[in-house]
Amino acid sequence: NHLMLVDVTPLGIGGKTAESALDCCGITVNMNMIPFDERRPMDPSGIRIGTAALTTRGMGAAEMSVIGQWILAALKKADDEQLHERIRGQVRELCAQFPVPS
């Protein structure tokens, strides 16, 4: 399975903030409720991350490790626009190395 459900509340944010911060970085996730979530559905405790599109492009464990580091950095500083723009550039560079199959 290429799906993960991640609780972002230990970082002091909710799923809506996490989704928005990662979107600014060029990383697409969905805010999602987690089991026994006490937060409201429009700002749940988690995000859902899927890797199917990445593996289809040929990315492997090494790339997933780097992407995971970007995700954590972006979520730890969810309001740091400069950091998000820097990560967005790195995401573009990585994606250029792994074009979408045609």
Side-chain angles (χ1 to χ4, degrees):
N1 189 332
H2 293 276
L3 292 174
M4 294 167 274
L5 188 56
V6 180
D7 181 356
V8 295
T9 58
L11 299 172
I13 60 175
K16 185 174 185 175
T17 299
E19 178 184 67
S20 178
L22 293 173
D23 187 55
C24 291
C25 297
I27 299 171
T28 303
V29 301
N30 299 99
M31 63 180 170
N32 208 95
M33 295 188 77
I34 62 172
F36 309 106
D37 203 334
E38 296 182 8
R39 295 176 64 104
R40 61 190 199 276
M42 293 310 295
D43 188 17
S45 296
I47 56 174
R48 183 176 45 128
I49 302 172
T51 61
L54 304 178
T55 57
T56 298
R57 293 175 87 145
M59 294 185 198
E63 291 78 26
M64 299 305 165
S65 178
V66 170
I67 295 165
Q69 291 171 27
W70 291 335
I71 289 171
L72 182 58
L75 296 182
K76 282 185 172 181
K77 296 187 176 185
D79 58 354
D80 188 335
E81 294 177 14
Q82 288 182 318
L83 172 64
H84 297 169
E85 188 58 36
R86 188 168 55 250
I87 292 171
R88 187 176 191 86
Q90 294 169 326
V91 167
R92 283 186 189 127
E93 289 176 20
L94 179 63
C95 288
Q97 297 172 36
F98 294 91
V100 176
S102 53

Coordinates of all heavy atoms in Angstrom, one line a residue:
N1 N 0.8 -1.2 0.0 CA 0.0 0.0 0.0 C 0.9 1.2 0.0 O 1.8 1.3 0.7 CB -0.9 0.0 1.2 CG -2.0 1.0 1.2 OD1 -1.8 2.1 0.6 ND2 -3.0 0.7 1.9
H2 N 0.5 2.2 -0.8 CA 1.3 3.4 -0.9 C 0.7 4.6 -0.2 O 0.9 5.7 -0.6 CB 1.5 3.8 -2.4 CG 2.3 2.8 -3.2 ND1 3.7 2.8 -3.2 CD2 2.0 1.7 -3.9 CE1 4.1 1.9 -3.9 NE2 3.1 1.2 -4.4
L3 N -0.1 4.3 0.8 CA -0.7 5.4 1.6 C -0.3 5.4 3.0 O -0.1 4.4 3.6 CB -2.3 5.3 1.5 CG -2.9 5.5 0.2 CD1 -4.4 5.1 0.3 CD2 -2.7 6.9 -0.3
M4 N -0.1 6.6 3.6 CA 0.2 6.8 5.0 C -0.7 7.8 5.6 O -1.1 8.8 4.9 CB 1.6 7.3 5.1 CG 2.7 6.3 4.7 SD 4.3 7.1 4.6 CE 4.2 7.7 2.9
L5 N -1.1 7.6 6.8 CA -1.9 8.6 7.6 C -1.0 9.1 8.7 O -0.5 8.3 9.5 CB -3.2 7.9 8.1 CG -4.2 8.8 8.8 CD1 -4.7 9.9 7.8 CD2 -5.4 7.9 9.2
V6 N -0.8 10.4 8.7 CA 0.2 10.9 9.7 C -0.5 11.9 10.6 O -1.2 12.9 10.1 CB 1.3 11.7 8.9 CG1 2.3 12.3 9.9 CG2 2.0 10.7 7.9
D7 N -0.3 11.8 11.9 CA -0.8 12.7 12.9 C 0.2 13.8 13.0 O 1.3 13.6 13.4 CB -0.9 12.0 14.3 CG -1.5 12.8 15.4 OD1 -1.7 14.0 15.2 OD2 -1.7 12.3 16.5
V8 N -0.3 15.1 12.7 CA 0.6 16.2 12.7 C 0.5 17.0 14.0 O 1.2 18.0 14.2 CB 0.4 17.1 11.5 CG1 0.8 16.4 10.2 CG2 -1.0 17.7 11.4
T9 N -0.4 16.7 14.9 CA -0.6 17.5 16.1 C 0.6 17.5 17.0 O 0.8 18.5 17.7 CB -1.8 17.0 16.9 OG1 -1.7 15.6 17.2 CG2 -3.1 17.2 16.1
P10 N 1.5 16.5 17.0 CA 2.7 16.7 17.8 C 3.6 17.9 17.4 O 4.4 18.4 18.1 CB 3.5 15.4 17.7 CG 2.4 14.4 17.4 CD 1.4 15.1 16.5
L11 N 3.4 18.3 16.2 CA 4.1 19.5 15.7 C 3.4 20.8 16.0 O 3.9 21.9 15.6 CB 4.3 19.4 14.1 CG 5.1 18.1 13.7 CD1 5.1 18.0 12.2 CD2 6.6 18.2 14.2
G12 N 2.3 20.7 16.7 CA 1.5 21.9 17.1 C 0.7 22.5 16.0 O 0.3 23.7 16.0
I13 N 0.4 21.7 15.0 CA -0.5 22.2 13.9 C -1.6 21.1 13.6 O -1.5 20.0 14.1 CB 0.3 22.4 12.6 CG1 1.0 21.1 12.1 CG2 1.3 23.5 12.8 CD1 1.7 21.2 10.8
G14 N -2.6 21.5 12.8 CA -3.6 20.6 12.4 C -3.4 20.3 10.9 O -2.5 20.8 10.2
G15 N -4.3 19.4 10.4 CA -4.1 18.9 9.1 C -4.3 20.0 8.0 O -3.7 19.9 6.9
K16 N -5.2 20.9 8.3 CA -5.5 22.0 7.3 C -4.2 22.8 7.1 O -3.8 23.2 6.0 CB -6.6 22.9 7.8 CG -7.1 23.9 6.8 CD -8.3 24.6 7.3 CE -8.8 25.6 6.2 NZ -10.1 26.2 6.6
T17 N -3.6 23.2 8.2 CA -2.3 24.0 8.1 C -1.2 23.2 7.4 O -0.5 23.7 6.6 CB -1.9 24.4 9.5 OG1 -2.9 25.2 10.1 CG2 -0.5 25.2 9.5
A18 N -1.1 21.9 7.8 CA -0.1 21.0 7.2 C -0.3 20.9 5.7 O 0.6 21.0 4.9 CB -0.2 19.6 7.8
E19 N -1.6 20.7 5.2 CA -1.9 20.6 3.8 C -1.5 21.9 3.1 O -0.9 21.8 2.0 CB -3.4 20.3 3.6 CG -3.8 20.2 2.2 CD -5.3 20.0 2.0 OE1 -6.0 21.0 2.4 OE2 -5.7 18.9 1.6
S20 N -1.8 23.0 3.7 CA -1.5 24.3 3.0 C 0.0 24.5 3.0 O 0.5 25.0 1.9 CB -2.2 25.4 3.8 OG -1.9 26.6 3.3
A21 N 0.7 24.3 4.0 CA 2.2 24.5 4.0 C 2.8 23.6 3.0 O 3.7 24.1 2.2 CB 2.7 24.2 5.4
L22 N 2.5 22.3 2.9 CA 3.1 21.4 1.9 C 2.7 21.8 0.5 O 3.5 21.7 -0.4 CB 2.7 20.0 2.3 CG 3.4 19.5 3.6 CD1 2.8 18.1 3.9 CD2 4.9 19.5 3.5
D23 N 1.5 22.3 0.3 CA 1.1 22.8 -1.0 C 2.0 23.9 -1.5 O 2.4 23.9 -2.6 CB -0.4 23.2 -1.0 CG -0.9 23.5 -2.4 OD1 -0.8 22.6 -3.3 OD2 -1.4 24.6 -2.6
C24 N 2.3 24.8 -0.6 CA 3.3 25.9 -0.9 C 4.6 25.3 -1.3 O 5.4 26.0 -2.1 CB 3.4 26.8 0.3 SG 2.0 27.8 0.6
C25 N 5.0 24.2 -0.9 CA 6.2 23.5 -1.2 C 6.2 22.7 -2.5 O 7.2 22.1 -2.9 CB 6.7 22.6 -0.1 SG 7.0 23.4 1.5
G26 N 5.0 22.6 -3.0 CA 4.8 21.7 -4.2 C 4.6 20.3 -3.9 O 4.8 19.4 -4.7
I27 N 4.3 20.0 -2.6 CA 4.0 18.6 -2.2 C 2.5 18.5 -1.9 O 2.0 19.2 -1.0 CB 4.9 18.3 -0.9 CG1 6.3 18.4 -1.2 CG2 4.5 16.9 -0.4 CD1 7.2 18.3 0.0
T28 N 1.9 17.6 -2.6 CA 0.4 17.5 -2.5 C 0.1 16.4 -1.5 O 0.5 15.2 -1.6 CB -0.2 17.1 -3.8 OG1 0.1 18.2 -4.7 CG2 -1.7 17.0 -3.7
V29 N -0.7 16.7 -0.4 CA -1.2 15.8 0.5 C -2.7 16.2 0.8 O -3.1 17.2 0.3 CB -0.4 15.8 1.9 CG1 1.0 15.4 1.6 CG2 -0.6 17.1 2.6
N30 N -3.4 15.4 1.5 CA -4.8 15.7 1.9 C -4.9 15.8 3.4 O -4.4 14.8 4.1 CB -5.8 14.7 1.3 CG -5.7 14.6 -0.2 OD1 -5.1 13.8 -0.7 ND2 -6.4 15.6 -0.8
M31 N -5.6 16.8 3.9 CA -5.9 16.8 5.3 C -6.9 15.6 5.6 O -7.7 15.3 4.7 CB -6.5 18.1 5.8 CG -7.8 18.5 5.2 SD -8.3 20.1 5.9 CE -9.7 20.4 4.8
N32 N -6.7 14.9 6.7 CA -7.5 13.7 6.9 C -7.7 13.5 8.4 O -6.7 13.7 9.2 CB -6.7 12.5 6.3 CG -7.7 11.4 5.9 OD1 -8.0 11.4 4.7 ND2 -8.0 10.5 6.8
M33 N -8.8 13.0 8.8 CA -9.0 12.6 10.2 C -8.2 11.4 10.5 O -8.0 10.5 9.6 CB -10.5 12.5 10.5 CG -11.3 13.8 10.3 SD -13.0 13.7 10.9 CE -12.7 13.7 12.7
I34 N -7.8 11.2 11.7 CA -7.1 10.0 12.1 C -8.1 9.2 13.1 O -9.1 9.8 13.5 CB -5.8 10.4 12.8 CG1 -6.0 11.2 14.1 CG2 -4.8 11.1 11.9 CD1 -4.8 11.4 15.0
P35 N -7.8 8.0 13.4 CA -8.6 7.2 14.3 C -8.8 8.0 15.6 O -7.8 8.5 16.2 CB -7.9 5.9 14.4 CG -7.1 5.7 13.2 CD -6.7 7.1 12.8
F36 N -10.0 8.0 16.1 CA -10.3 8.7 17.4 C -10.0 10.2 17.4 O -9.8 10.7 18.4 CB -9.6 8.0 18.6 CG -9.8 6.5 18.5 CD1 -8.8 5.6 18.2 CD2 -11.1 5.9 18.8 CE1 -8.9 4.3 18.2 CE2 -11.2 4.5 18.8 CZ -10.2 3.7 18.5
D37 N -10.1 10.8 16.2 CA -9.7 12.2 16.1 C -10.8 13.0 16.8 O -12.0 12.8 16.7 CB -9.8 12.6 14.6 CG -8.9 13.8 14.3 OD1 -8.8 14.7 15.2 OD2 -8.5 13.9 13.2
E38 N -10.3 13.9 17.6 CA -11.2 14.8 18.4 C -11.3 16.2 17.7 O -12.1 17.0 18.2 CB -10.7 14.9 19.8 CG -10.8 13.6 20.6 CD -10.3 13.7 22.0 OE1 -10.1 14.8 22.5 OE2 -10.2 12.7 22.7
R39 N -10.6 16.4 16.7 CA -10.6 17.7 16.0 C -11.8 17.7 15.0 O -12.2 16.6 14.6 CB -9.3 18.0 15.3 CG -8.2 18.2 16.3 CD -6.8 18.4 15.6 NE -6.9 19.7 14.8 CZ -6.2 20.8 15.1 NH1 -5.6 20.9 16.3 NH2 -6.3 21.8 14.3
R40 N -12.2 18.8 14.5 CA -13.3 18.9 13.6 C -12.8 18.5 12.1 O -11.7 18.6 11.8 CB -13.9 20.3 13.6 CG -13.0 21.4 13.2 CD -13.7 22.7 13.4 NE -13.0 23.8 12.7 CZ -11.9 24.4 13.0 NH1 -11.3 24.1 14.2 NH2 -11.4 25.3 12.3
P41 N -13.8 18.0 11.3 CA -13.4 17.4 10.0 C -12.7 18.5 9.1 O -12.0 18.1 8.2 CB -14.8 17.0 9.4 CG -15.6 16.7 10.6 CD -15.2 17.7 11.7
M42 N -13.0 19.7 9.2 CA -12.4 20.7 8.3 C -11.1 21.2 8.8 O -10.4 21.9 8.1 CB -13.4 21.9 8.1 CG -14.7 21.6 7.4 SD -14.4 20.7 5.8 CE -13.5 21.9 4.9
D43 N -10.6 20.7 9.9 CA -9.2 20.9 10.4 C -8.9 19.7 11.3 O -8.7 19.8 12.5 CB -9.1 22.2 11.2 CG -7.6 22.5 11.5 OD1 -6.7 21.9 10.8 OD2 -7.3 23.3 12.4
P44 N -8.7 18.5 10.6 CA -8.4 17.3 11.4 C -7.0 17.3 11.9 O -6.2 18.2 11.7 CB -8.7 16.2 10.3 CG -8.3 16.9 9.0 CD -8.7 18.3 9.2
S45 N -6.7 16.2 12.6 CA -5.4 16.0 13.2 C -4.3 15.5 12.2 O -3.1 15.5 12.6 CB -5.5 15.0 14.4 OG -6.3 15.6 15.4
G46 N -4.7 15.0 11.1 CA -3.8 14.3 10.2 C -3.7 14.8 8.8 O -4.5 15.6 8.3
I47 N -2.8 14.1 8.1 CA -2.7 14.3 6.6 C -2.5 12.9 6.1 O -2.0 12.0 6.7 CB -1.5 15.2 6.2 CG1 -0.2 14.7 6.7 CG2 -1.8 16.6 6.5 CD1 1.0 15.4 6.2
R48 N -3.0 12.7 4.8 CA -2.8 11.5 4.1 C -1.8 11.7 3.0 O -1.9 12.6 2.2 CB -4.2 11.0 3.5 CG -4.1 9.7 2.8 CD -5.5 9.3 2.3 NE -6.1 10.5 1.7 CZ -6.7 10.5 0.5 NH1 -6.7 9.4 -0.2 NH2 -7.2 11.5 0.0
I49 N -0.8 10.8 3.0 CA 0.3 10.9 2.0 C 0.3 9.7 1.2 O 0.3 8.6 1.7 CB 1.7 11.1 2.7 CG1 1.7 12.3 3.7 CG2 2.8 11.1 1.7 CD1 3.0 12.3 4.5
G50 N 0.3 9.9 -0.1 CA 0.4 8.8 -1.1 C 1.7 8.9 -1.9 O 2.1 9.9 -2.3
T51 N 2.2 7.7 -2.2 CA 3.5 7.7 -2.9 C 3.4 7.0 -4.3 O 4.4 6.9 -5.0 CB 4.6 6.9 -2.1 OG1 4.2 5.6 -1.9 CG2 4.9 7.6 -0.8
A52 N 2.2 6.6 -4.7 CA 2.0 5.9 -6.0 C 2.5 6.7 -7.1 O 3.2 6.2 -8.0 CB 0.6 5.5 -6.2
A53 N 2.2 8.0 -7.2 CA 2.7 8.9 -8.3 C 4.2 9.0 -8.3 O 4.8 9.1 -9.4 CB 2.1 10.3 -8.2
L54 N 4.8 8.9 -7.1 CA 6.3 9.0 -7.1 C 7.0 7.7 -7.6 O 7.9 7.8 -8.3 CB 6.7 9.3 -5.7 CG 6.2 10.6 -5.1 CD1 6.6 10.8 -3.6 CD2 6.5 11.8 -5.9
T55 N 6.4 6.6 -7.1 CA 7.0 5.3 -7.6 C 6.8 5.1 -9.1 O 7.6 4.5 -9.7 CB 6.5 4.1 -6.7 OG1 5.1 4.1 -6.8 CG2 6.9 4.3 -5.3
T56 N 5.7 5.6 -9.6 CA 5.4 5.5 -11.0 C 6.5 6.2 -11.8 O 6.8 5.8 -12.9 CB 4.0 6.1 -11.3 OG1 3.0 5.3 -10.7 CG2 3.7 6.0 -12.8
R57 N 7.0 7.3 -11.2 CA 8.0 8.1 -11.9 C 9.4 7.5 -11.7 O 10.4 7.9 -12.3 CB 8.1 9.5 -11.3 CG 6.8 10.3 -11.6 CD 6.8 11.7 -11.0 NE 7.5 12.6 -11.8 CZ 7.2 13.9 -11.8 NH1 6.2 14.4 -11.1 NH2 7.9 14.7 -12.6
G58 N 9.5 6.4 -10.9 CA 10.8 5.7 -10.7 C 11.5 6.1 -9.5 O 12.6 5.7 -9.2
M59 N 10.9 6.9 -8.6 CA 11.5 7.3 -7.3 C 11.6 6.1 -6.4 O 10.7 5.2 -6.4 CB 10.8 8.4 -6.7 CG 11.0 9.7 -7.5 SD 10.2 11.1 -6.6 CE 10.0 12.3 -7.9
G60 N 12.6 6.0 -5.6 CA 12.8 4.9 -4.7 C 13.0 5.4 -3.2 O 12.7 6.5 -2.9
A61 N 13.6 4.5 -2.4 CA 13.8 4.8 -1.0 C 14.6 6.0 -0.8 O 14.3 6.8 0.1 CB 14.4 3.6 -0.3
A62 N 15.7 6.2 -1.6 CA 16.5 7.4 -1.4 C 15.8 8.7 -1.5 O 15.9 9.6 -0.7 CB 17.7 7.4 -2.3
E63 N 14.9 8.7 -2.6 CA 14.1 9.9 -2.8 C 13.1 10.1 -1.8 O 12.8 11.3 -1.3 CB 13.5 9.9 -4.2 CG 14.5 10.0 -5.4 CD 15.2 8.7 -5.7 OE1 14.7 7.6 -5.3 OE2 16.4 8.8 -6.2
M64 N 12.5 9.0 -1.3 CA 11.4 9.1 -0.3 C 12.0 9.7 1.0 O 11.4 10.5 1.7 CB 10.8 7.8 0.0 CG 10.1 7.1 -1.2 SD 8.9 8.2 -1.9 CE 8.6 7.3 -3.4
S65 N 13.3 9.3 1.3 CA 14.0 9.9 2.5 C 14.1 11.4 2.4 O 13.8 12.1 3.4 CB 15.3 9.2 2.7 OG 16.0 9.7 3.8
V66 N 14.5 11.8 1.3 CA 14.7 13.3 1.1 C 13.3 14.0 1.2 O 13.2 15.0 1.8 CB 15.4 13.6 -0.3 CG1 15.3 15.0 -0.7 CG2 16.8 13.0 -0.3
I67 N 12.3 13.4 0.5 CA 11.0 14.0 0.5 C 10.5 14.1 2.0 O 9.9 15.1 2.4 CB 10.0 13.3 -0.4 CG1 10.5 13.5 -1.9 CG2 8.6 13.7 -0.2 CD1 9.8 12.5 -2.8
G68 N 10.7 13.0 2.7 CA 10.3 13.0 4.1 C 11.0 14.1 4.9 O 10.3 14.7 5.8
Q69 N 12.2 14.3 4.7 CA 12.9 15.4 5.3 C 12.3 16.8 5.0 O 12.2 17.6 5.8 CB 14.4 15.4 5.0 CG 15.1 14.2 5.6 CD 16.6 14.0 5.0 OE1 17.2 15.0 4.6 NE2 17.1 12.8 5.0
W70 N 12.0 17.0 3.7 CA 11.3 18.2 3.3 C 10.0 18.4 4.0 O 9.7 19.5 4.5 CB 11.1 18.2 1.8 CG 12.3 18.3 1.0 CD1 13.6 18.9 1.3 CD2 12.5 17.9 -0.4 NE1 14.4 18.8 0.3 CE2 13.8 18.2 -0.8 CE3 11.6 17.3 -1.3 CZ2 14.3 17.9 -2.1 CZ3 12.1 17.0 -2.6 CH2 13.4 17.3 -3.0
I71 N 9.2 17.3 4.1 CA 7.9 17.4 4.7 C 8.1 17.8 6.2 O 7.4 18.7 6.6 CB 7.2 16.0 4.6 CG1 6.7 15.8 3.1 CG2 6.0 16.0 5.5 CD1 6.2 14.4 2.8
L72 N 9.0 17.2 6.9 CA 9.2 17.5 8.3 C 9.6 18.9 8.5 O 9.1 19.6 9.3 CB 10.1 16.5 8.9 CG 10.4 16.7 10.4 CD1 9.1 16.6 11.2 CD2 11.4 15.7 10.9
A73 N 10.6 19.3 7.7 CA 11.1 20.7 7.8 C 10.0 21.7 7.5 O 9.8 22.7 8.3 CB 12.2 20.9 6.8
A74 N 9.2 21.5 6.5 CA 8.1 22.4 6.2 C 7.0 22.4 7.2 O 6.5 23.5 7.6 CB 7.4 22.0 4.8
L75 N 6.7 21.3 7.8 CA 5.7 21.3 8.9 C 6.2 21.9 10.2 O 5.4 22.4 11.0 CB 5.2 19.9 9.1 CG 4.4 19.3 7.9 CD1 3.9 17.9 8.2 CD2 3.3 20.2 7.4
K76 N 7.5 21.7 10.5 CA 8.0 22.3 11.7 C 8.0 23.8 11.6 O 7.9 24.5 12.7 CB 9.4 21.8 12.0 CG 9.5 20.4 12.5 CD 11.0 20.1 12.9 CE 11.1 18.8 13.6 NZ 12.5 18.5 14.0
K77 N 8.0 24.4 10.4 CA 8.0 25.8 10.2 C 6.9 26.1 9.2 O 7.2 26.6 8.1 CB 9.4 26.3 9.7 CG 10.5 26.1 10.8 CD 11.7 26.7 10.4 CE 12.8 26.6 11.5 NZ 14.0 27.3 11.2
A78 N 5.7 25.8 9.6 CA 4.5 25.9 8.7 C 4.2 27.3 8.2 O 3.5 27.5 7.2 CB 3.3 25.3 9.4
D79 N 4.8 28.3 8.9 CA 4.5 29.7 8.4 C 5.8 30.4 7.8 O 5.8 31.6 7.5 CB 4.0 30.5 9.6 CG 5.0 30.6 10.7 OD1 6.0 29.9 10.7 OD2 4.7 31.3 11.7
D80 N 6.8 29.6 7.5 CA 8.0 30.1 6.9 C 8.0 30.1 5.4 O 8.4 29.1 4.8 CB 9.2 29.3 7.4 CG 10.6 29.9 7.1 OD1 10.6 30.6 6.0 OD2 11.5 29.6 7.8
E81 N 7.5 31.2 4.8 CA 7.3 31.2 3.3 C 8.6 31.0 2.6 O 8.7 30.4 1.5 CB 6.6 32.5 2.9 CG 5.2 32.6 3.4 CD 4.5 33.9 3.1 OE1 5.0 34.6 2.3 OE2 3.5 34.1 3.7
Q82 N 9.7 31.6 3.1 CA 11.0 31.5 2.4 C 11.5 30.0 2.4 O 12.0 29.5 1.4 CB 12.1 32.3 3.1 CG 11.9 33.8 2.8 CD 13.0 34.6 3.5 OE1 13.4 34.4 4.6 NE2 13.5 35.6 2.8
L83 N 11.3 29.3 3.5 CA 11.7 27.9 3.5 C 10.8 27.1 2.5 O 11.3 26.3 1.8 CB 11.5 27.3 4.9 CG 11.6 25.8 5.0 CD1 13.0 25.4 4.7 CD2 11.2 25.3 6.4
H84 N 9.5 27.4 2.5 CA 8.6 26.7 1.6 C 9.0 26.9 0.1 O 9.0 26.0 -0.7 CB 7.2 27.1 1.8 CG 6.7 26.7 3.2 ND1 5.5 27.2 3.7 CD2 7.3 25.9 4.2 CE1 5.4 26.7 5.0 NE2 6.4 25.9 5.2
E85 N 9.4 28.1 -0.2 CA 9.8 28.4 -1.6 C 11.1 27.7 -1.9 O 11.3 27.2 -3.0 CB 10.0 29.9 -1.8 CG 10.2 30.3 -3.2 CD 9.1 29.9 -4.2 OE1 7.9 29.9 -3.8 OE2 9.4 29.5 -5.3
R86 N 12.0 27.6 -1.0 CA 13.3 26.9 -1.2 C 13.0 25.4 -1.4 O 13.5 24.8 -2.4 CB 14.2 27.1 0.0 CG 15.6 26.5 -0.3 CD 16.6 27.0 0.8 NE 16.3 26.7 2.2 CZ 15.9 27.6 3.1 NH1 15.9 28.9 2.7 NH2 15.6 27.3 4.3
I87 N 12.1 24.8 -0.6 CA 11.8 23.4 -0.8 C 11.1 23.2 -2.1 O 11.3 22.2 -2.8 CB 10.9 22.9 0.4 CG1 11.7 22.9 1.7 CG2 10.3 21.6 0.1 CD1 10.9 22.6 2.9
R88 N 10.2 24.2 -2.5 CA 9.5 24.1 -3.8 C 10.5 24.0 -5.0 O 10.3 23.2 -5.9 CB 8.6 25.3 -4.0 CG 7.7 25.2 -5.2 CD 6.7 26.4 -5.3 NE 5.7 26.2 -6.3 CZ 4.6 25.5 -6.1 NH1 4.3 25.0 -5.0 NH2 3.7 25.4 -7.1
G89 N 11.6 24.7 -4.9 CA 12.6 24.7 -5.9 C 13.3 23.3 -5.9 O 13.6 22.7 -7.0
Q90 N 13.6 22.8 -4.7 CA 14.2 21.4 -4.6 C 13.3 20.4 -5.2 O 13.7 19.4 -5.8 CB 14.6 21.2 -3.2 CG 15.7 22.1 -2.7 CD 15.9 22.0 -1.2 OE1 15.0 21.8 -0.4 NE2 17.2 22.2 -0.8
V91 N 12.0 20.5 -4.9 CA 11.0 19.6 -5.4 C 11.0 19.6 -6.9 O 11.0 18.5 -7.6 CB 9.5 19.9 -4.9 CG1 8.5 19.1 -5.6 CG2 9.5 19.6 -3.4
R92 N 11.0 20.8 -7.5 CA 11.1 20.9 -9.0 C 12.3 20.2 -9.5 O 12.2 19.5 -10.6 CB 11.1 22.4 -9.4 CG 9.8 23.0 -9.3 CD 9.8 24.4 -9.9 NE 8.6 25.2 -9.6 CZ 8.5 26.3 -9.0 NH1 9.6 27.0 -8.7 NH2 7.4 26.9 -8.8
E93 N 13.5 20.4 -8.9 CA 14.7 19.8 -9.4 C 14.6 18.3 -9.3 O 15.0 17.6 -10.2 CB 15.9 20.3 -8.5 CG 16.3 21.7 -8.7 CD 17.4 22.2 -7.8 OE1 18.1 21.3 -7.2 OE2 17.6 23.4 -7.6
L94 N 14.1 17.7 -8.2 CA 13.9 16.3 -8.1 C 13.0 15.8 -9.2 O 13.3 14.8 -9.8 CB 13.4 15.9 -6.7 CG 13.2 14.4 -6.5 CD1 14.5 13.6 -6.6 CD2 12.5 14.2 -5.1
C95 N 11.9 16.4 -9.4 CA 10.9 16.0 -10.4 C 11.4 16.0 -11.8 O 11.1 15.2 -12.6 CB 9.6 16.8 -10.3 SG 8.6 16.4 -8.8
A96 N 12.3 17.0 -12.0 CA 12.9 17.0 -13.4 C 13.8 15.8 -13.7 O 14.0 15.4 -14.8 CB 13.8 18.3 -13.5
Q97 N 14.3 15.2 -12.6 CA 15.1 14.0 -12.8 C 14.3 12.7 -13.0 O 14.8 11.7 -13.4 CB 16.0 13.8 -11.5 CG 17.0 14.8 -11.3 CD 17.7 14.7 -9.9 OE1 17.9 13.5 -9.5 NE2 18.0 15.7 -9.2
F98 N 13.0 12.8 -12.7 CA 12.1 11.7 -12.8 C 10.8 12.1 -13.6 O 9.8 12.3 -13.0 CB 11.7 11.2 -11.4 CG 12.8 10.6 -10.6 CD1 13.6 11.4 -9.8 CD2 13.2 9.2 -10.8 CE1 14.7 10.8 -9.1 CE2 14.2 8.7 -10.1 CZ 15.0 9.5 -9.2
P99 N 10.9 12.3 -14.9 CA 9.8 12.7 -15.6 C 8.6 11.8 -15.6 O 8.8 10.6 -15.4 CB 10.3 12.9 -17.1 CG 11.6 12.2 -17.1 CD 12.1 12.0 -15.7
V100 N 7.4 12.3 -15.7 CA 6.2 11.5 -15.8 C 6.2 10.6 -17.0 O 6.5 11.1 -18.1 CB 4.9 12.4 -15.8 CG1 3.7 11.6 -15.9 CG2 4.9 13.4 -14.6
P101 N 6.0 9.3 -16.8 CA 6.0 8.4 -18.0 C 4.9 8.8 -19.0 O 3.8 9.2 -18.6 CB 5.7 7.0 -17.4 CG 5.9 7.2 -15.9 CD 5.7 8.6 -15.6
S102 N 5.3 8.7 -20.3 CA 4.3 9.0 -21.3 C 3.9 7.8 -22.1 O 4.4 6.7 -22.0 CB 4.8 10.1 -22.2 OG 6.0 9.7 -22.7

